[in-house]
Amino acid sequence: MTDKLTQDDIAPLQAAGWALADDGEAITKTFEFKNFVQAFGWMTQVAMHAEKLNHHPEWSNVYKTVEVALTTHDADGLTALDAKLAKKMDQLAEG
């Protein structure tokens, strides 16, 4: 099992716009794109990276908006997998 992230590990994610859930066991973020095709294309790119990590987001898509929650269920909280996937999501959204 992977160790849980510390507050020092979570702080850079929060600085990048990720919000810590009230229970401290997940991070959330809303991504907004120009249209549905861009949102769905981004989700497809993220899905390929998530599959490689064997770590999958909880997310929903309505038109151009994607709501994301990341947590590691096996660890009952946030781990390095969540941080890695969050950073990749941010990179893909920027590029």
Side-chain angles (χ1 to χ4, degrees):
M1 182 184 321
T2 306
D3 292 334
K4 287 186 179 183
L5 297 180
T6 66
Q7 183 54 46
D8 287 342
D9 299 323
I10 296 168
L13 297 170
Q14 290 175 299
W18 290 86
L20 187 62
D22 290 341
D23 63 7
E25 295 183 3
I27 51 174
T28 62
K29 189 170 185 176
T30 300
F31 291 88
E32 192 157 323
F33 300 89
K34 289 183 181 179
N35 54 48
F36 175 76
V37 172
Q38 286 189 355
F40 197 85
W42 175 82
M43 291 175 75
T44 301
Q45 290 179 311
V46 170
M48 291 186 283
H49 289 282
E51 189 64 21
K52 287 178 187 176
L53 290 173
N54 193 30
H55 189 64
H56 305 92
E58 296 175 20
W59 57 8
S60 65
N61 166 242
V62 176
Y63 182 52
K64 64 180 184 172
T65 304
V66 182
E67 300 279 345
V68 178
L70 298 176
T71 188
T72 304
H73 296 286
D74 292 346
D76 293 324
L78 294 165
T79 69
L81 287 171
D82 301 300
K84 189 171 188 175
L85 189 54
K87 289 175 189 174
K88 179 52 78 173
M89 288 177 159
D90 287 338
Q91 288 172 350
L92 291 170
E94 292 170 4

